[in-house]
């Protein structure tokens, strides 16, 4: 079996790049399949995530921008697919989505929709992928409903290859959050919520791991609220397991989430999560009241109360954390990759 992936860059530290790399490595190293990755844009840096030496990378070196970039990309993509002749072609980003309409090959084609359709840029490209890809693969039940015109929709979640034996110390008075410090993750709201939490639980601490463009603004927000001794921007970490295990509750306040791996990783580490019920991912991961809590998106006061309730109950933190760890097995690498294997080997029959 020969699988061909398309992506704009491999040197970027992002969720799409991470998942594509993990899947490609599994196919090549565990199944012994042939895997080729087409990198569309000019990208001289090494892949950010470790890539198996068995995987072939081809760079198309598209240098133009706007419409010219798209046209050049579509022409080069079609030429490459026709030359490589894979068994299945998988595209994950905008130019590849457009190629579903203008393809000159007959290779079975999957468009992977990693984001939430209503929050994604380039709606025209999404419409092209929806109508002309052989399969649209989505991460959540809710997002699947947004591709009503697709020939076929498959729901296959992301996975984590994190295997953690240890459990957190549930007596720790520490909450943890992990993510890029940008608009989507909405850490400014988390900090504002924490100001209210701090009034009733002043001995608790919030650690936020990650870097990004909002780092300075977030630090100023922390300082302005007088929380510099209780909320800490820890920066990016190479040991996320240690970061999760340093707390006893995981928090999320994102504007939107396609499928937040951090919630799965937190669960693998035995943490219950308290998350705003943003579209779409949290509700597909958290079993409300069992492995964590989903809080109405617009209700900051409910978020404050829910966090406080869990802070006050160490036994609940432990029981929910253990339930989260047990439930996270459905997002293990082997379980999810077997779904991909069944799909690829069927050739979409």
């Amino acid at each position: 079996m020969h699988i061909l992936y398309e992506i704009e860059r491999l040197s970027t530290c992002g969720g799409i790049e991470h998942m594509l790399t993990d899947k490609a490595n599994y196919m090549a190293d565990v199944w012994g399949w042939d895997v080729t990755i087409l990198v569309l844009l000019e990208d001289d840096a090494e892949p950010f995530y470790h890539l198996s030496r068995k995987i072939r990378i081809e760079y198309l070196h598209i240098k133009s921008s706007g419409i010219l970039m798209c046209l050049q990309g579509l022409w080069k993509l079609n030429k490459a697919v026709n030359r490589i002749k894979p068994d299945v072609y998988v595209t994950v980003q905008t130019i590849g989505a457009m190629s579903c309409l203008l393809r000159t090959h007959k290779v079975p084609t999957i468009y992977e929709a990693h984001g939430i359709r209503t929050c994604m840029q380039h709606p025209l490209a999404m419409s092209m992928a929806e109508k002309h890809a052989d399969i649209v693969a989505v991460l959540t039940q809710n997002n699947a409903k947004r591709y009503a015109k697709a020939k076929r929709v498959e729901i296959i979640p992301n996975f984590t290859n994190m295997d953690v034996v240890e459990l957190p110390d549930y007596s720790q008075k520490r909450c943890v959050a992990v993510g890029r410090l940008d608009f989507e993750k909405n850490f400014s709201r988390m900090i504002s919520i924490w100001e209210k939490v701090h009034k009733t639980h002043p001995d608790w601490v919030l650690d936020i791991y990650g870097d990004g463009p909002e780092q300075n603004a977030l630090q100023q927000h922390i300082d302005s609220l007088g929380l510099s001794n209780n909320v800490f921007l820890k920066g990016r970490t190479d040991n996320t397991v240690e970061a999760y295990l340093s707390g006893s509750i995981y928090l999320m306040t994102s504007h939107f989430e396609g499928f937040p791996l951090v919630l799965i990783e937190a669960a693998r580490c035995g943490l219950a999560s308290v998350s705003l019920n943003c579209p779409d991912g949290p509700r597909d991961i958290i079993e409300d009241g069992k492995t964590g809590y989903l809080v109405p998106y617009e209700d900051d006061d409910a978020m404050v109360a829910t966090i406080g309730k869990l802070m006050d109950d160490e036994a609940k933190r432990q029981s929910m954390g253990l339930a989260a760890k047990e439930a996270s097995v459905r997002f293990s690498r082997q379980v999810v990759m077997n779904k991909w294997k069944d799909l690829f080997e069927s050739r979409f029959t």
Side-chain angles (χ1 to χ4, degrees), residues 166-172 174-178 190 194 204 206-207 243-253 261-276 282 285-295 303 306-328:
E166 309 102 296
L167 288 171
D169 176 358
Y170 294 103
S171 69
Q172 297 176 108
R174 187 178 301 272
C175 292
V176 177
V178 179
M190 183 181 294
W194 191 267
W204 277 74
L206 170 61
D207 287 338
Y244 290 119
L245 292 176
S246 70
S248 59
I249 302 172
Y250 188 82
L251 302 183
M252 175 174 282
T253 55
L261 275 176
V262 290
L263 289 182
I264 301 173
E265 292 175 346
R268 292 298 293 160
C269 292
L271 287 182
S273 295
V274 182
S275 174
L276 292 176
I285 299 171
I286 296 173
E287 298 178 65
D288 189 35
K290 181 178 179 182
T291 66
Y293 293 107
L294 290 168
V295 179
M303 187 71 171
T306 303
I307 295 170
K309 178 172 67 174
L310 203 51
M311 285 177 167
D312 290 336
D313 194 338
E314 181 181 334
K316 177 66 74 174
R317 296 198 296 274
Q318 180 171 354
S319 64
M320 294 185 90
L322 293 174
K325 187 175 182 68
E326 182 179 354
S328 69

Side-chain angles (χ1 to χ4, degrees), residues 188 191 212-224 233:
S188 178
I191 292 164
E214 293 193 353
Q215 183 166 343
N216 290 338
L218 290 174
Q219 187 59 60
Q220 291 174 11
H221 189 39
I222 291 167
D223 295 341
S224 70
L233 301 181

Side-chain angles (χ1 to χ4, degrees), residues 149-220:
K149 296 179 182 179
K151 298 176 185 177
R152 176 176 167 186
V153 179
E154 290 287 335
I155 303 169
I156 304 180
N158 284 338
F159 63 83
T160 176
N161 55 13
M162 186 181 284
D163 189 14
V164 186
V165 176
E166 309 102 296
L167 288 171
D169 176 358
Y170 294 103
S171 69
Q172 297 176 108
K173 296 184 176 183
R174 187 178 301 272
C175 292
V176 177
V178 179
R180 183 164 168 75
L181 307 184
D182 60 12
F183 170 81
E184 177 184 336
K185 304 306 178 184
N186 204 9
F187 285 118
S188 178
R189 186 175 179 185
M190 183 181 294
I191 292 164
S192 295
I193 288 170
W194 191 267
E195 180 191 23
K196 298 178 181 179
V197 172
H198 177 65
K199 291 176 181 177
T200 55
H201 297 80
D203 50 347
W204 277 74
V205 168
L206 170 61
D207 287 338
I208 300 173
Y209 290 86
D211 56 18
E214 293 193 353
Q215 183 166 343
N216 290 338
L218 290 174
Q219 187 59 60
Q220 291 174 11

Side-chain angles (χ1 to χ4, degrees), residues 71-86:
L71 292 175
Q72 183 185 21
L74 292 173
W75 179 77
K76 286 192 170 185
L77 261 178
N78 276 311
K79 186 177 179 181
V81 176
N82 279 310
R83 170 175 50 83
I84 295 169
K85 294 181 173 62

